[in-house]
Amino acid sequence: NYCSRYMRRHGIKEFYNLKYNPKDPEFFKGIGMPNGPDKEYVCIGVKASNYFMPTETLSEKGPGGGGWILMDMTLAVKTREGKVWSSDEKGYPRIWAIGDCNY
């Protein structure tokens, strides 16, 4: 619920139980975009795009052959040895993996 409130406050619309159909003009009318989008990004699939992360933070196995960011129960990035990857001087994690990038 708090995510929906945030998105409404920032002008981000949510649509549920709606089949994505970009070739049907009625689809875009139904989501308040009668002229369609200016730009469209389709982010689907099971391939990890984490090329920017060090190898020691990526899984060796998993969907799409691996390469997913490893994380602990707090979503902090960890190494294959299970240690927090980026921590501050007190040992607190400073980098987290959130979204479709983690395993």
Side-chain angles (χ1 to χ4, degrees):
N1 192 9
Y2 87 94
C3 290
S4 291
R5 284 194 317 265
Y6 173 89
M7 295 196 340
R8 271 194 308 277
R9 281 195 312 266
H10 290 84
I12 301 169
K13 296 178 182 178
E14 298 174 79
F15 299 94
Y16 298 96
N17 301 314
L18 184 64
K19 181 173 172 50
Y20 176 70
N21 189 357
K23 294 184 180 181
D24 182 2
E26 293 302 312
F27 167 76
F28 286 113
K29 285 181 189 173
I31 61 171
M33 299 179 73
N35 298 320
D38 293 328
K39 190 134 189 123
E40 184 176 2
Y41 298 93
V42 179
C43 304
I44 56 175
V46 294
K47 184 176 186 306
S49 294
N50 300 316
Y51 57 87
F52 54 91
M53 293 296 289
T55 304
E56 71 265 17
T57 64
L58 302 176
S59 68
E60 294 179 281
K61 298 177 182 174
W68 299 89
I69 299 174
L70 299 168
M71 61 181 190
D72 66 12
M73 295 301 286
T74 69
L75 304 181
V77 175
K78 67 179 184 176
T79 65
R80 291 178 181 166
E81 290 77 38
K83 295 180 181 180
V84 173
W85 174 63
S86 180
S87 57
D88 63 16
E89 65 280 352
K90 294 183 181 180
Y92 295 111
R94 289 293 172 236
I95 307 291
W96 292 269
I98 300 168
D100 294 339
C101 61
N102 49 45
Y103 180 66

